[in-house]
Coordinates of all heavy atoms in Angstrom, one line a residue:
M1 N 15.9 32.9 48.9 CA 14.8 32.6 49.9 C 13.5 33.1 49.3 O 12.5 32.4 49.5 CB 15.1 33.3 51.2 CG 14.1 33.0 52.3 SD 14.7 33.5 53.9 CE 13.2 33.4 54.8
L2 N 13.5 34.1 48.5 CA 12.2 34.7 48.0 C 11.6 33.8 46.9 O 10.4 33.8 46.7 CB 12.4 36.1 47.5 CG 12.7 37.1 48.5 CD1 12.9 38.5 47.9 CD2 11.6 37.2 49.6
S3 N 12.4 33.1 46.1 CA 11.9 32.3 45.1 C 11.5 30.9 45.5 O 11.0 30.1 44.7 CB 12.9 32.2 43.9 OG 14.1 31.5 44.4
Q4 N 11.8 30.5 46.7 CA 11.5 29.2 47.2 C 10.2 29.1 47.8 O 9.6 30.0 48.4 CB 12.6 28.7 48.2 CG 12.5 27.3 48.6 CD 13.8 26.8 49.3 OE1 14.8 27.5 49.4 NE2 13.7 25.7 49.9
V5 N 9.6 27.9 47.8 CA 8.3 27.6 48.5 C 8.7 26.9 49.8 O 9.5 26.0 49.9 CB 7.4 26.7 47.7 CG1 6.2 26.3 48.4 CG2 7.0 27.4 46.4
Y6 N 8.1 27.4 50.9 CA 8.3 26.8 52.2 C 6.9 26.2 52.7 O 5.9 26.5 52.2 CB 8.7 27.9 53.2 CG 10.1 28.4 52.9 CD1 10.4 29.5 52.1 CD2 11.2 27.7 53.4 CE1 11.7 29.9 51.9 CE2 12.5 28.1 53.2 CZ 12.7 29.2 52.4 OH 14.0 29.6 52.1
Y7 N 7.0 25.4 53.7 CA 5.9 24.8 54.3 C 5.8 25.1 55.8 O 6.8 25.2 56.5 CB 6.0 23.3 54.1 CG 6.0 22.9 52.6 CD1 7.1 22.9 51.9 CD2 4.8 22.7 51.9 CE1 7.2 22.6 50.5 CE2 4.8 22.5 50.6 CZ 5.9 22.5 49.9 OH 5.9 22.2 48.5
I8 N 4.6 25.5 56.2 CA 4.4 25.9 57.6 C 3.2 25.1 58.1 O 2.4 24.5 57.4 CB 4.0 27.4 57.6 CG1 2.9 27.8 56.7 CG2 5.2 28.3 57.3 CD1 2.5 29.2 56.7
I9 N 3.2 25.0 59.5 CA 2.2 24.2 60.2 C 1.2 25.1 60.8 O 1.6 26.0 61.5 CB 2.9 23.2 61.2 CG1 3.8 22.3 60.4 CG2 1.8 22.5 62.0 CD1 4.6 21.4 61.4
R10 N -0.1 24.9 60.6 CA -1.1 25.7 61.2 C -2.2 24.9 61.9 O -2.5 23.8 61.5 CB -1.8 26.5 60.0 CG -2.7 27.6 60.5 CD -3.1 28.5 59.3 NE -3.6 29.7 59.8 CZ -4.0 30.7 59.0 NH1 -3.9 30.6 57.7 NH2 -4.5 31.8 59.6
S11 N -2.6 25.4 63.0 CA -3.6 24.7 63.8 C -5.0 24.8 63.1 O -5.4 25.8 62.6 CB -3.8 25.4 65.2 OG -4.9 24.9 65.9
R12 N -5.6 23.6 63.1 CA -7.0 23.6 62.5 C -8.0 24.1 63.5 O -9.1 24.4 63.1 CB -7.3 22.1 62.1 CG -6.5 21.6 61.0 CD -6.9 20.2 60.6 NE -6.0 19.8 59.5 CZ -6.1 18.6 59.0 NH1 -6.9 17.7 59.4 NH2 -5.3 18.3 58.0
L13 N -7.7 24.2 64.7 CA -8.6 24.6 65.8 C -8.7 26.1 65.8 O -9.8 26.6 65.9 CB -8.2 24.0 67.1 CG -8.1 22.5 67.2 CD1 -7.6 22.1 68.6 CD2 -9.5 21.9 67.0
D14 N -7.6 26.8 65.9 CA -7.7 28.3 66.1 C -6.9 29.1 65.0 O -6.9 30.3 65.0 CB -7.1 28.7 67.4 CG -5.7 28.3 67.7 OD1 -5.0 27.9 66.7 OD2 -5.2 28.4 68.8
G15 N -6.3 28.4 64.0 CA -5.6 29.1 62.9 C -4.3 29.6 63.2 O -3.7 30.3 62.4
N16 N -3.7 29.4 64.4 CA -2.4 29.9 64.8 C -1.3 29.0 64.1 O -1.5 27.8 63.8 CB -2.2 29.8 66.3 CG -2.9 30.9 67.0 OD1 -3.1 32.0 66.5 ND2 -3.4 30.6 68.2
Y17 N -0.2 29.6 63.8 CA 0.9 28.9 63.2 C 1.8 28.3 64.3 O 1.9 28.8 65.4 CB 1.8 29.9 62.4 CG 1.0 30.4 61.2 CD1 0.4 31.6 61.2 CD2 0.9 29.6 60.0 CE1 -0.3 32.1 60.1 CE2 0.2 30.1 58.9 CZ -0.4 31.3 58.9 OH -1.1 31.7 57.8
L18 N 2.6 27.3 63.9 CA 3.5 26.7 64.9 C 4.7 27.6 64.9 O 5.3 27.9 63.9 CB 3.9 25.3 64.4 CG 4.8 24.5 65.3 CD1 4.1 24.2 66.6 CD2 5.3 23.2 64.6
T19 N 5.1 28.0 66.2 CA 6.2 28.9 66.4 C 7.1 28.4 67.4 O 6.8 27.5 68.2 CB 5.6 30.3 66.8 OG1 4.9 30.2 68.0 CG2 4.7 30.9 65.8
A20 N 8.3 29.0 67.5 CA 9.2 28.9 68.6 C 9.2 30.2 69.3 O 9.3 31.3 68.7 CB 10.6 28.6 68.1
N21 N 9.1 30.1 70.7 CA 9.0 31.3 71.5 C 10.1 31.5 72.4 O 10.5 30.5 73.0 CB 7.6 31.3 72.3 CG 6.5 31.2 71.3 OD1 6.3 32.1 70.5 ND2 5.7 30.2 71.5
F22 N 10.7 32.7 72.5 CA 11.8 33.0 73.3 C 11.5 34.1 74.3 O 10.9 35.1 73.9 CB 13.1 33.3 72.5 CG 13.5 32.2 71.6 CD1 13.1 32.2 70.3 CD2 14.3 31.2 72.1 CE1 13.6 31.2 69.4 CE2 14.8 30.2 71.2 CZ 14.4 30.2 69.9
S23 N 12.0 34.1 75.5 CA 12.0 35.2 76.4 C 13.4 35.9 76.3 O 14.4 35.2 76.4 CB 11.7 34.8 77.8 OG 10.4 34.3 78.0
Q24 N 13.4 37.2 76.1 CA 14.7 37.9 76.0 C 15.0 38.7 77.2 O 14.2 39.5 77.6 CB 14.6 38.8 74.7 CG 14.4 38.0 73.5 CD 14.3 38.9 72.3 OE1 14.0 40.1 72.4 NE2 14.6 38.4 71.1
G25 N 16.2 38.4 77.7 CA 16.7 39.3 78.8 C 15.9 39.2 80.1 O 15.0 38.4 80.3
S26 N 16.3 40.1 81.0 CA 15.6 40.2 82.3 C 14.2 40.8 82.2 O 13.4 40.6 83.1 CB 16.4 41.0 83.2 OG 16.6 42.3 82.7
S27 N 13.9 41.5 81.1 CA 12.6 42.1 80.9 C 11.5 41.0 80.6 O 10.3 41.3 80.8 CB 12.6 43.1 79.8 OG 12.8 42.4 78.5
G28 N 11.9 39.9 80.1 CA 11.0 38.8 79.8 C 10.2 39.0 78.6 O 9.1 38.4 78.4
T29 N 10.6 39.9 77.7 CA 9.9 40.2 76.5 C 9.9 38.9 75.6 O 11.0 38.3 75.4 CB 10.6 41.3 75.7 OG1 10.6 42.5 76.5 CG2 9.8 41.6 74.4
K30 N 8.8 38.5 75.1 CA 8.7 37.3 74.3 C 8.7 37.6 72.9 O 8.1 38.5 72.4 CB 7.4 36.5 74.7 CG 7.5 35.9 76.1 CD 6.4 34.9 76.3 CE 6.5 34.4 77.7 NZ 5.7 33.3 78.0
S31 N 9.5 36.8 72.1 CA 9.5 36.9 70.7 C 9.1 35.5 70.1 O 9.5 34.5 70.6 CB 11.0 37.2 70.2 OG 11.4 38.4 70.8
S32 N 8.3 35.6 69.0 CA 7.9 34.4 68.3 C 8.5 34.3 67.0 O 8.6 35.3 66.2 CB 6.4 34.4 68.2 OG 5.7 34.3 69.4
Y33 N 9.0 33.1 66.6 CA 9.6 32.8 65.3 C 8.8 31.8 64.6 O 8.5 30.7 65.2 CB 11.0 32.3 65.5 CG 12.0 33.4 65.9 CD1 12.0 33.9 67.3 CD2 12.8 34.0 65.0 CE1 12.9 34.9 67.7 CE2 13.7 35.0 65.4 CZ 13.7 35.4 66.7 OH 14.6 36.4 67.1
L34 N 8.3 32.1 63.4 CA 7.5 31.2 62.6 C 8.4 30.0 62.1 O 9.5 30.2 61.5 CB 7.0 31.9 61.4 CG 6.2 31.1 60.4 CD1 4.9 30.5 61.0 CD2 5.9 31.9 59.1
L35 N 8.0 28.8 62.4 CA 8.8 27.6 62.0 C 8.4 27.2 60.6 O 7.2 27.2 60.2 CB 8.5 26.4 62.9 CG 9.1 26.5 64.3 CD1 8.8 25.2 65.1 CD2 10.6 26.7 64.3
M36 N 9.4 27.1 59.7 CA 9.2 26.8 58.3 C 10.0 25.6 57.9 O 11.1 25.3 58.5 CB 9.6 28.0 57.4 CG 8.9 29.2 57.7 SD 9.1 30.6 56.5 CE 10.8 30.5 56.2
F37 N 9.5 24.9 56.9 CA 10.2 23.6 56.5 C 10.4 23.8 54.9 O 9.6 24.4 54.3 CB 9.3 22.4 56.7 CG 9.0 22.3 58.2 CD1 8.0 23.0 58.8 CD2 9.7 21.4 59.0 CE1 7.7 22.8 60.2 CE2 9.5 21.3 60.3 CZ 8.5 22.0 60.9
R38 N 11.5 23.1 54.5 CA 11.8 23.2 53.0 C 10.9 22.3 52.2 O 10.7 22.5 51.0 CB 13.2 22.9 52.8 CG 14.1 24.0 53.4 CD 15.6 23.7 53.1 NE 16.5 24.5 53.9 CZ 16.8 25.8 53.7 NH1 16.3 26.4 52.7 NH2 17.6 26.4 54.5
E39 N 10.4 21.2 52.8 CA 9.6 20.2 52.1 C 8.4 19.9 52.9 O 8.4 19.9 54.2 CB 10.4 18.9 51.8 CG 11.6 19.1 51.0 CD 11.3 19.5 49.5 OE1 10.2 19.2 49.1 OE2 12.2 20.0 48.9
D40 N 7.3 19.5 52.3 CA 6.0 19.2 53.0 C 6.2 17.9 53.9 O 5.7 17.9 55.0 CB 4.8 19.1 52.1 CG 5.0 18.0 51.0 OD1 6.1 17.5 50.8 OD2 4.0 17.6 50.5
F41 N 7.0 17.0 53.4 CA 7.2 15.7 54.1 C 8.0 16.0 55.4 O 7.9 15.3 56.4 CB 7.8 14.6 53.3 CG 9.2 14.9 52.7 CD1 10.3 14.7 53.5 CD2 9.3 15.4 51.4 CE1 11.6 14.9 53.0 CE2 10.6 15.7 50.9 CZ 11.7 15.4 51.7
E42 N 8.9 17.0 55.4 CA 9.6 17.4 56.6 C 8.7 17.9 57.7 O 8.9 17.6 58.8 CB 10.7 18.4 56.3 CG 11.8 17.8 55.4 CD 12.9 18.9 55.1 OE1 12.7 20.1 55.3 OE2 14.0 18.5 54.6
A43 N 7.7 18.7 57.3 CA 6.7 19.2 58.2 C 5.9 18.1 58.8 O 5.7 18.1 60.0 CB 5.8 20.3 57.6
L44 N 5.5 17.2 58.0 CA 4.7 16.0 58.4 C 5.6 15.1 59.4 O 5.1 14.6 60.4 CB 4.2 15.2 57.3 CG 3.1 15.9 56.4 CD1 2.9 15.1 55.2 CD2 1.9 16.1 57.2
S45 N 6.9 15.0 59.0 CA 7.8 14.2 59.9 C 7.9 14.8 61.3 O 8.0 14.2 62.3 CB 9.2 14.1 59.3 OG 9.1 13.3 58.1
Y46 N 8.0 16.2 61.3 CA 8.2 16.9 62.5 C 6.9 16.7 63.4 O 7.0 16.4 64.6 CB 8.3 18.4 62.2 CG 8.5 19.2 63.4 CD1 9.8 19.5 63.9 CD2 7.4 19.8 64.1 CE1 10.0 20.3 65.1 CE2 7.6 20.6 65.2 CZ 8.9 20.8 65.7 OH 9.1 21.6 66.8
L47 N 5.7 16.8 62.8 CA 4.5 16.5 63.6 C 4.4 15.1 64.1 O 4.1 14.8 65.2 CB 3.3 16.8 62.7 CG 2.9 18.2 62.5 CD1 1.8 18.3 61.5 CD2 2.5 18.9 63.8
N48 N 4.7 14.1 63.2 CA 4.6 12.7 63.6 C 5.7 12.3 64.7 O 5.4 11.5 65.5 CB 4.8 11.8 62.4 CG 3.6 11.9 61.5 OD1 2.5 12.2 61.9 ND2 3.8 11.7 60.2
T49 N 6.8 13.0 64.6 CA 7.9 12.7 65.6 C 7.6 13.4 67.0 O 7.8 12.7 68.0 CB 9.2 13.2 65.1 OG1 9.5 12.5 63.9 CG2 10.3 12.8 66.1
H50 N 7.2 14.6 67.0 CA 7.1 15.4 68.2 C 5.7 15.6 68.7 O 5.6 16.1 69.8 CB 7.8 16.7 68.0 CG 9.2 16.6 67.6 ND1 10.2 16.1 68.4 CD2 9.8 16.8 66.3 CE1 11.4 16.1 67.7 NE2 11.1 16.4 66.5
A51 N 4.7 15.3 67.9 CA 3.3 15.5 68.4 C 2.4 14.5 67.7 O 1.3 14.9 67.2 CB 2.9 16.9 68.1
S52 N 2.8 13.2 67.7 CA 2.0 12.2 66.9 C 0.5 12.1 67.4 O -0.4 11.9 66.6 CB 2.6 10.9 67.0 OG 2.8 10.4 68.3
D53 N 0.3 12.3 68.7 CA -1.1 12.2 69.2 C -1.9 13.5 68.9 O -3.1 13.4 69.0 CB -1.1 12.0 70.7 CG -0.2 13.0 71.5 OD1 0.7 13.6 70.9 OD2 -0.5 13.2 72.7
L54 N -1.3 14.6 68.5 CA -2.0 15.8 68.1 C -1.9 16.1 66.6 O -2.5 17.1 66.2 CB -1.4 17.0 68.9 CG -1.4 16.8 70.4 CD1 -0.6 18.0 71.0 CD2 -2.8 16.8 70.9
S55 N -1.3 15.3 65.8 CA -1.0 15.6 64.4 C -2.3 15.9 63.6 O -2.3 16.6 62.7 CB -0.1 14.6 63.8 OG -0.8 13.3 63.8
D56 N -3.4 15.3 64.0 CA -4.6 15.5 63.3 C -5.2 16.9 63.5 O -6.2 17.3 62.8 CB -5.7 14.4 63.6 CG -6.1 14.4 65.1 OD1 -5.3 14.8 65.9 OD2 -7.2 14.0 65.4
R57 N -4.7 17.6 64.5 CA -5.2 19.0 64.8 C -4.4 20.0 64.0 O -4.7 21.2 64.2 CB -5.0 19.2 66.3 CG -5.9 18.3 67.1 CD -5.7 18.6 68.5 NE -6.4 17.6 69.3 CZ -6.4 17.6 70.6 NH1 -5.8 18.5 71.3 NH2 -7.0 16.6 71.3
F58 N -3.5 19.6 63.1 CA -2.7 20.6 62.4 C -2.7 20.3 60.9 O -3.0 19.2 60.5 CB -1.2 20.5 62.9 CG -1.0 21.0 64.3 CD1 -1.0 20.0 65.3 CD2 -0.8 22.3 64.5 CE1 -0.9 20.5 66.6 CE2 -0.6 22.7 65.8 CZ -0.7 21.8 66.9
A59 N -2.5 21.3 60.1 CA -2.4 21.2 58.7 C -1.1 21.8 58.2 O -0.6 22.7 58.8 CB -3.6 21.9 58.0
V60 N -0.6 21.2 57.1 CA 0.6 21.8 56.5 C 0.2 22.6 55.3 O -0.6 22.2 54.5 CB 1.6 20.6 56.1 CG1 2.8 21.2 55.3 CG2 2.0 19.8 57.3
E61 N 0.7 23.8 55.3 CA 0.4 24.8 54.2 C 1.6 25.2 53.5 O 2.7 25.3 54.1 CB -0.3 26.0 54.7 CG -1.6 25.8 55.4 CD -2.3 27.0 56.0 OE1 -1.6 28.1 56.0 OE2 -3.4 26.9 56.5
S62 N 1.5 25.5 52.2 CA 2.7 26.0 51.5 C 2.6 27.5 51.4 O 1.5 28.1 51.4 CB 2.8 25.4 50.1 OG 1.6 25.8 49.3
I63 N 3.8 28.2 51.4 CA 3.8 29.6 51.3 C 5.0 30.0 50.4 O 6.1 29.6 50.7 CB 3.9 30.3 52.7 CG1 3.9 31.8 52.6 CG2 5.1 29.8 53.5 CD1 3.7 32.6 53.9
P64 N 4.8 30.8 49.4 CA 5.9 31.3 48.6 C 6.8 32.3 49.4 O 6.3 33.0 50.3 CB 5.3 32.0 47.4 CG 3.8 32.1 47.7 CD 3.5 31.3 48.9
G65 N 8.1 32.3 49.1 CA 9.0 33.1 49.8 C 8.6 34.6 49.8 O 8.9 35.4 50.7
T66 N 7.9 35.0 48.7 CA 7.5 36.4 48.5 C 6.4 36.8 49.5 O 6.3 38.0 49.7 CB 7.0 36.6 47.1 OG1 6.0 35.7 46.8 CG2 8.1 36.5 46.1
Q67 N 5.8 35.9 50.1 CA 4.7 36.2 51.1 C 5.1 36.2 52.5 O 4.3 36.5 53.4 CB 3.5 35.3 50.8 CG 2.8 35.6 49.5 CD 1.6 34.7 49.3 OE1 1.2 33.9 50.2 NE2 0.9 34.8 48.2
I68 N 6.3 35.7 52.8 CA 6.8 35.5 54.2 C 6.8 36.9 54.9 O 6.4 37.0 56.1 CB 8.1 34.8 54.2 CG1 7.9 33.4 53.7 CG2 8.7 34.8 55.6 CD1 9.2 32.6 53.5
T69 N 7.4 37.9 54.3 CA 7.5 39.2 55.0 C 6.1 39.7 55.4 O 6.0 40.2 56.5 CB 8.2 40.2 54.1 OG1 9.5 39.7 53.7 CG2 8.4 41.6 54.8
G70 N 5.2 39.7 54.5 CA 3.8 40.1 54.9 C 3.2 39.3 56.0 O 2.5 39.9 56.9
L71 N 3.4 38.0 56.0 CA 2.9 37.2 57.0 C 3.5 37.5 58.4 O 2.8 37.6 59.4 CB 3.1 35.7 56.7 CG 2.6 34.7 57.7 CD1 1.1 34.6 57.6 CD2 3.2 33.3 57.4
M72 N 4.8 37.7 58.4 CA 5.5 38.1 59.6 C 5.0 39.4 60.2 O 4.8 39.5 61.4 CB 7.0 38.2 59.3 CG 7.7 36.8 59.1 SD 9.4 36.9 58.7 CE 10.1 38.0 59.9
K73 N 4.8 40.4 59.3 CA 4.3 41.7 59.8 C 2.9 41.5 60.3 O 2.5 42.1 61.4 CB 4.3 42.7 58.7 CG 5.7 43.2 58.3 CD 5.7 44.2 57.2 CE 7.1 44.6 56.8 NZ 7.1 45.5 55.7
R74 N 2.0 40.8 59.6 CA 0.6 40.7 60.0 C 0.5 40.0 61.4 O -0.3 40.4 62.2 CB -0.1 39.9 58.9 CG -1.6 39.9 59.0 CD -2.3 39.4 57.8 NE -1.8 38.2 57.2 CZ -1.1 38.1 56.0 NH1 -0.9 39.3 55.4 NH2 -0.7 37.0 55.6
W75 N 1.3 39.0 61.6 CA 1.2 38.2 62.9 C 2.2 38.7 63.9 O 2.2 38.2 65.0 CB 1.4 36.7 62.5 CG 0.2 36.1 61.9 CD1 -0.2 36.2 60.6 CD2 -0.8 35.3 62.5 NE1 -1.3 35.5 60.4 CE2 -1.7 34.9 61.6 CE3 -0.9 34.8 63.8 CZ2 -2.8 34.1 61.9 CZ3 -2.0 33.9 64.1 CH2 -2.9 33.6 63.1
G76 N 3.1 39.6 63.6 CA 4.0 40.1 64.6 C 5.1 39.2 65.0 O 5.7 39.2 66.1
F77 N 5.6 38.3 64.0 CA 6.7 37.4 64.3 C 8.0 38.2 64.3 O 8.2 39.1 63.5 CB 6.8 36.3 63.3 CG 5.6 35.4 63.3 CD1 4.9 35.2 62.1 CD2 5.2 34.8 64.5 CE1 3.8 34.3 62.1 CE2 4.1 33.9 64.5 CZ 3.4 33.7 63.3
A78 N 8.9 37.8 65.1 CA 10.2 38.5 65.2 C 11.2 38.0 64.1 O 12.1 38.6 63.7 CB 10.9 38.2 66.6
G79 N 10.9 36.8 63.5 CA 11.7 36.2 62.5 C 11.1 34.8 62.2 O 10.0 34.5 62.5
V80 N 12.0 34.1 61.5 CA 11.6 32.7 61.1 C 12.6 31.7 61.6 O 13.8 32.1 61.8 CB 11.5 32.6 59.5 CG1 10.4 33.4 59.0 CG2 12.8 32.8 58.8
G81 N 12.2 30.5 61.8 CA 13.1 29.4 62.1 C 12.9 28.4 61.0 O 11.9 27.8 60.9
I82 N 14.0 28.2 60.2 CA 14.0 27.2 59.2 C 14.5 25.9 59.7 O 15.6 25.8 60.2 CB 14.8 27.7 58.0 CG1 14.3 29.0 57.4 CG2 14.8 26.6 56.9 CD1 15.1 29.6 56.4
V83 N 13.6 24.9 59.8 CA 14.0 23.6 60.3 C 14.9 22.8 59.4 O 14.5 22.5 58.3 CB 12.7 22.8 60.7 CG1 13.0 21.4 61.3 CG2 11.8 23.6 61.6
Q84 N 16.1 22.6 59.8 CA 17.1 21.9 59.0 C 16.9 20.3 59.1 O 17.1 19.6 58.1 CB 18.5 22.3 59.4 CG 18.8 23.7 59.4 CD 18.7 24.3 58.0 OE1 19.1 23.6 57.0 NE2 18.3 25.5 57.8
D85 N 16.6 19.9 60.3 CA 16.4 18.4 60.5 C 15.1 18.3 61.4 O 15.2 18.6 62.6 CB 17.6 17.8 61.2 CG 17.5 16.3 61.4 OD1 16.4 15.8 61.2 OD2 18.5 15.7 61.7
P86 N 14.0 17.8 60.9 CA 12.8 17.7 61.7 C 12.8 16.6 62.8 O 12.0 16.7 63.7 CB 11.7 17.4 60.6 CG 12.5 16.7 59.5 CD 13.9 17.3 59.5
L87 N 13.8 15.7 62.7 CA 13.8 14.6 63.7 C 14.5 15.0 65.0 O 14.1 14.6 66.1 CB 14.4 13.4 63.1 CG 13.6 12.8 61.9 CD1 14.4 11.6 61.3 CD2 12.2 12.5 62.2
L88 N 15.6 15.9 64.9 CA 16.4 16.2 66.1 C 15.7 17.2 67.0 O 15.8 17.0 68.2 CB 17.8 16.6 65.7 CG 18.6 15.5 65.1 CD1 20.0 16.0 64.7 CD2 18.7 14.3 66.0
P89 N 15.1 18.3 66.7 CA 15.2 19.1 65.5 C 16.3 20.1 65.5 O 16.7 20.6 66.6 CB 13.9 19.8 65.5 CG 13.5 20.0 66.9 CD 14.1 18.8 67.6
Q90 N 16.8 20.5 64.4 CA 17.8 21.5 64.3 C 17.2 22.6 63.5 O 16.6 22.4 62.4 CB 19.1 21.0 63.5 CG 19.9 20.0 64.3 CD 21.1 19.5 63.5 OE1 21.3 19.8 62.4 NE2 21.9 18.8 64.2
V91 N 17.3 23.8 64.1 CA 16.6 25.0 63.5 C 17.5 26.1 63.3 O 18.3 26.5 64.2 CB 15.4 25.4 64.4 CG1 14.6 26.6 63.8 CG2 14.5 24.3 64.7
E92 N 17.5 26.8 62.2 CA 18.3 28.0 61.9 C 17.3 29.2 62.0 O 16.4 29.3 61.3 CB 18.9 28.0 60.5 CG 19.6 29.2 60.1 CD 20.1 29.1 58.7 OE1 19.9 28.1 58.0 OE2 20.7 30.1 58.2
F93 N 17.6 30.0 63.0 CA 16.7 31.2 63.3 C 17.3 32.4 62.6 O 18.4 32.7 62.6 CB 16.6 31.5 64.8 CG 15.9 30.4 65.5 CD1 16.5 29.4 66.2 CD2 14.5 30.4 65.5 CE1 15.8 28.4 66.9 CE2 13.8 29.4 66.2 CZ 14.4 28.4 66.8
L94 N 16.3 33.2 61.9 CA 16.7 34.4 61.2 C 15.7 35.5 61.7 O 14.5 35.3 61.7 CB 16.5 34.2 59.7 CG 17.3 33.1 59.1 CD1 16.8 32.8 57.7 CD2 18.7 33.4 59.1
S95 N 16.3 36.6 62.2 CA 15.4 37.7 62.6 C 15.2 38.7 61.5 O 16.0 38.8 60.6 CB 16.2 38.5 63.8 OG 16.3 37.6 64.9
S96 N 14.0 39.3 61.5 CA 13.7 40.3 60.5 C 14.4 41.6 60.9 O 14.6 41.9 62.1 CB 12.2 40.5 60.4 OG 11.7 41.0 61.6
V97 N 14.7 42.4 59.9 CA 15.4 43.7 60.1 C 14.3 44.7 59.9 O 13.7 44.8 58.8 CB 16.6 43.8 59.2 CG1 17.2 45.2 59.4 CG2 17.6 42.7 59.4
S98 N 14.1 45.6 60.8 CA 13.1 46.6 60.7 C 13.7 47.9 60.1 O 14.8 48.2 60.2 CB 12.5 47.0 62.1 OG 11.9 45.8 62.6

């Protein structure tokens, strides 16, 4: 995972990343997972399929695997969601270990 380049989607309006958010348990604590794609065209397909009317408000950025941990700490993400199929979508969620 560290040697691979991933692609992430970022808002052009406020700079936030595209995430999946979950509420955990009865406490309602929310956790955010950064959505990542293995190819740039998969990220574009995801946008065009699920938010075609908003796709011009987002940009696809590349990030090396070595920078993911730092990005997760800086933004407070609980983990990452690697999108396996952008059309359905099927996502593999991985939590960070503290």
Side-chain angles (χ1 to χ4, degrees):
M1 185 168 166
L2 292 177
S3 64
Q4 189 167 350
V5 174
Y6 291 92
Y7 297 88
I8 52 181
I9 298 174
R10 192 169 195 177
S11 169
R12 291 182 182 178
L13 300 176
D14 61 9
N16 287 325
Y17 293 99
L18 184 65
T19 61
N21 300 302
F22 297 97
S23 293
Q24 296 178 337
S26 60
S27 66
T29 305
K30 291 192 178 187
S31 299
S32 294
Y33 288 77
L34 177 66
L35 290 181
M36 300 189 321
F37 301 83
R38 295 186 194 276
E39 300 290 340
D40 60 343
F41 63 83
E42 290 178 348
L44 292 170
S45 292
Y46 183 89
L47 281 174
N48 289 332
T49 301
H50 303 289
S52 59
D53 54 334
L54 302 174
S55 62
D56 62 333
R57 298 180 188 179
F58 294 93
V60 176
E61 299 178 354
S62 62
I63 183 170
T66 55
Q67 292 182 2
I68 293 172
T69 302
L71 180 73
M72 287 175 53
K73 287 180 183 176
R74 190 168 45 253
W75 284 77
F77 296 126
V80 298
I82 301 173
V83 179
Q84 303 295 328
D85 184 345
L87 300 178
L88 292 179
Q90 292 181 351
V91 182
E92 178 183 356
F93 290 100
L94 304 168
S95 295
S96 65
V97 179
S98 301

